């Protein structure tokens, strides 16, 4: 199961960097939220719309480390990656991002319920 969860983290980063909102939508739970490093909690639909419009554009994500932690209701996949992005018109920059994905198995498939992003 460890490799399955690590693959989910890698798939999330790959499709995010490809601006592939269709595949990203399938990985995310309907009520998914993304808590940005600013503290803003963004609903799934709003985030996918910004990706689709290019308001938020991710160029790449290079993984440094991934760890897993089981809870009574699911798993936390905690990954550190260096992400190159342009957000809301900012210059293309690289950020060392710590992403804590909370995931659950829903109807036999892993779904990302939430993501909390900070820097490391």
């Amino acid at each position: 199961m460890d490799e399955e969860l690590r693959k989910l983290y890698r798939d999330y980063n790959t499709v995010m960097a490809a601006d592939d909102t269709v595949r990203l939508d399938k990985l995310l739970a309907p009520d998914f939220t993304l808590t940005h490093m600013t503290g803003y909690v963004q609903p799934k639909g709003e985030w996918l719309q910004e990706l689709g419009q290019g308001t938020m554009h991710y160029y790449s994500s290079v993984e440094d480390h991934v760890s897993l932690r089981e809870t009574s209701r699911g798993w936390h996949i905690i990954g550190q990656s260096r992400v190159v992005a342009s957000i809301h018109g900012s210059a293309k920059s690289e950020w060392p991002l710590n992403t804590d994905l909370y995931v659950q198995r829903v109807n036999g498939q892993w779904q990302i319920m939430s993501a909390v992003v900070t820097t490391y």
Side-chain angles (χ1 to χ4, degrees), residues 60 62 82-85 92-96:
S60 64
V62 177
R82 289 169 280 120
V83 176
V84 176
K92 182 177 173 182
S93 301
E94 180 178 273
W95 286 284

Side-chain angles (χ1 to χ4, degrees), residues 27-45:
L27 295 176
L28 307 177
D31 58 349
F32 168 87
T33 59
L34 169 61
T35 303
H36 292 275
M37 61 184 177
T38 61
Y40 177 62
V41 180
Q42 188 170 36
K44 172 184 173 178

Side-chain angles (χ1 to χ4, degrees), residues 75-115:
W75 285 82
H76 284 269
I77 307 169
I78 301 119
Q80 290 84 34
S81 297
R82 289 169 280 120
V83 176
V84 176
S86 173
I87 307 298
H88 298 142
S90 70
K92 182 177 173 182
S93 301
E94 180 178 273
W95 286 284
L97 297 182
N98 185 85
T99 302
D100 182 346
L101 299 178
Y102 176 63
V103 303
Q104 291 180 329
R105 195 176 286 279
V106 178
N107 297 323
Q109 298 291 324
W110 288 109
Q111 286 236 293
I112 301 170
M113 310 308 284
S114 65

Side-chain angles (χ1 to χ4, degrees), residues 17-81:
D19 294 325
D20 188 339
T21 58
V22 172
R23 286 184 55 208
L24 191 56
D25 182 48
K26 291 177 184 177
L27 295 176
L28 307 177
D31 58 349
F32 168 87
T33 59
L34 169 61
T35 303
H36 292 275
M37 61 184 177
T38 61
Y40 177 62
V41 180
Q42 188 170 36
K44 172 184 173 178
E46 182 182 305
W47 186 45
L48 293 178
Q49 182 178 16
E50 288 199 53
L51 286 171
Q53 294 172 341
T55 307
M56 301 184 90
H57 180 68
Y58 300 92
Y59 294 91
S60 64
S61 177
V62 177
E63 179 183 309
D64 286 332
H65 179 75
V66 179
S67 62
L68 307 171
R69 183 172 52 86
E70 187 174 16
T71 70
S72 61
R73 294 182 31 221
W75 285 82
H76 284 269
I77 307 169
I78 301 119
Q80 290 84 34
S81 297

